[in-house]
Amino acid sequence: MSAENIVETEGLRREFTVGRRRARRRVVAVSDVDLRIAPGEAVGFLGPNGAGKSTTIKMLTGILVPTTGRLRVCGLDPTRQRRELARRLGVVFGQRSQLWWDLPLRDSFELLGAIHRVPGPEHRARLERCVEVLELAPFLDVPVRQLSLGQRMRGEVTAALLHGPRLLVLDEPTVGLDLVSKERLRAFLQEVNVVDGMTILLTTHDLPDVERLCRRVVVIDQGRVVADDTIDALRARSGGAREVVVELTEPAAPLNGLSGVRDVRVEAGGLRQRLAFAPADTTAAALIAAVAARVELRDVTVVEPSIEDLVRTLYARR
């Protein structure tokens, strides 16, 4: 296995025994997962409930021992070197907290700095940056139990970053957040990845998180990896329809009969029309030229298929 990758697995498998006595049976939660994540990558790890995402994350972080297979995280064996791995790993679980419930947020940060033995100047520099960017100052002295969910999640991300981890694992980091809190958190995580070069592994059902933060996605279903590629490449492979949205100067009848167009939707009394097409059939440029030859255009927009549509297509094929 290469020491250059932040995450590397080979044939990773995890089985569980369920039931009682004679009714016991073996259930395979993760089967033959091969995964490689290079330093500085931001990877979305997607799948439906029960697909094996959480089990995989627990093996990567040393919480669960694989049944078979090999894995290295930050150059370490998560099972045998769990304590050392904790110094190189930051984890945020949307449904679990690493903060002290009855202590002010500031005290939790001080305790975590001491636990990880972060030098004082280093700890203060990281904390000041998080306080500024995530706007934590107004509630640093508020007990964690009195914080709103959005405030607490910003605190959780700060807590995961104070010791300068090489890998940041995020499990549903924006669950339950309002739109403003989500956008603030996404912007900060993007900065940490791009500016600091921190590797990010993100599991979420909030697919706009993935579109904002990740260029690459790994899709897992029934314990197996069913796709591993860039978002653009997966869009091309899935054959998902793109749209050309045309705004016209005057109302027009539906623009039917154009080469490569699969569907036409008319809005605003014919002033706006949505032309769906597949990249294999035509290009946006050719389609726009064909429309311009028939009607007078006021504006044009090309709409890519969302990652939500892409993942839905992958699941349907399974």
Side-chain angles (χ1 to χ4, degrees):
M1 303 183 80
S2 172
E4 297 179 357
N5 290 314
I6 292 292
V7 174
E8 187 165 357
T9 73
E10 292 180 359
L12 196 63
R13 183 182 182 90
R14 175 67 195 197
E15 300 176 358
F16 294 96
T17 301
V18 299
R20 296 181 177 179
R21 296 182 181 179
R22 296 181 182 179
R24 287 182 179 177
R25 59 191 177 90
R26 302 286 285 179
V27 173
V28 178
V30 173
S31 179
D32 300 324
V33 168
D34 295 336
L35 181 63
R36 288 166 179 80
I37 300 177
E41 278 196 284
V43 178
F45 191 46
L46 310 180
N49 290 330
K53 302 190 303 298
S54 294
T55 300
T56 303
I57 292 298
K58 288 176 181 176
M59 287 189 284
L60 294 179
T61 54
I63 297 172
L64 286 177
V65 180
T67 304
T68 58
R70 302 171 61 200
L71 74 160
R72 304 284 289 182
V73 179
C74 299
L76 303 172
D77 182 326
T79 302
R80 298 180 179 179
Q81 299 169 289
R82 186 176 177 185
R83 180 174 294 182
E84 188 175 350
L85 178 62
R87 298 191 179 99
R88 307 185 189 185
L89 188 68
V91 181
V92 177
F93 291 111
Q95 304 292 354
R96 292 180 176 85
S97 180
Q98 58 190 315
L99 304 171
W100 278 262
W101 199 242
D102 293 315
L103 294 181
L105 194 58
R106 187 192 306 274
D107 291 356
S108 286
F109 294 153
E110 291 300 323
L111 282 169
L112 287 166
I115 289 171
H116 287 288
R117 300 178 183 176
V118 182
E122 200 175 304
H123 174 81
R124 285 191 294 273
R126 292 196 185 112
L127 181 56
E128 286 173 3
R129 180 187 178 195
C130 290
V131 168
E132 179 182 356
V133 177
L134 294 176
E135 300 180 8
L136 303 178
F139 49 89
L140 274 177
D141 295 310
V142 177
V144 171
R145 57 183 167 78
Q146 295 180 11
L147 299 177
S148 69
L149 181 57
Q151 292 170 338
R152 183 173 65 80
M153 288 309 301
R154 281 181 271 163
E156 296 285 356
V157 171
T158 300
L161 295 175
L162 288 176
H163 59 292
R166 296 181 61 194
L167 171 65
L168 180 61
V169 178
L170 304 166
D171 188 0
E172 301 288 356
T174 62
V175 63
L177 301 189
D178 59 70
L179 292 176
V180 175
S181 296
K182 283 184 180 182
E183 184 54 32
R184 183 184 290 115
L185 189 53
R186 288 169 184 160
F188 179 65
L189 292 172
Q190 188 174 43
E191 178 183 323
V192 167
N193 173 243
V194 175
V195 177
D196 299 348
M198 187 176 296
T199 307
I200 292 178
L201 178 61
L202 169 68
T203 72
T204 182
H205 287 93
D206 197 344
L207 295 178
D209 287 353
V210 179
E211 289 189 292
R212 177 66 182 272
L213 296 172
C214 307
R215 288 190 63 254
R216 172 186 169 200
V217 293
V218 176
V219 182
I220 187 171
D221 192 17
Q222 299 177 14
R224 294 180 179 272
V225 172
V226 298
D228 181 354
D229 215 328
T230 66
I231 294 177
D232 289 341
L234 289 178
R235 278 177 174 145
R237 282 169 44 194
S238 72
R242 302 171 72 195
E243 275 190 342
V244 168
V245 182
V246 294
E247 304 279 351
L248 310 181
T249 57
E250 296 181 357
L255 296 170
N256 295 319
L258 294 171
S259 177
V261 175
R262 296 184 175 186
D263 183 54
V264 179
R265 287 185 292 156
V266 178
E267 300 174 354
L271 283 171
R272 182 188 306 113
Q273 301 197 25
R274 296 178 177 272
L275 313 175
F277 70 98
D281 299 331
T282 188
T283 66
L287 184 53
I288 292 169
V291 172
R294 287 176 53 170
V295 293
E296 186 175 346
L297 298 175
R298 186 169 62 85
D299 198 7
V300 177
T301 305
V302 179
V303 180
E304 299 287 349
S306 70
I307 192 171
E308 188 170 7
D309 293 335
L310 168 62
V311 172
R312 189 182 298 114
T313 299
L314 290 171
Y315 292 162
R317 289 181 178 179
R318 289 285 291 172

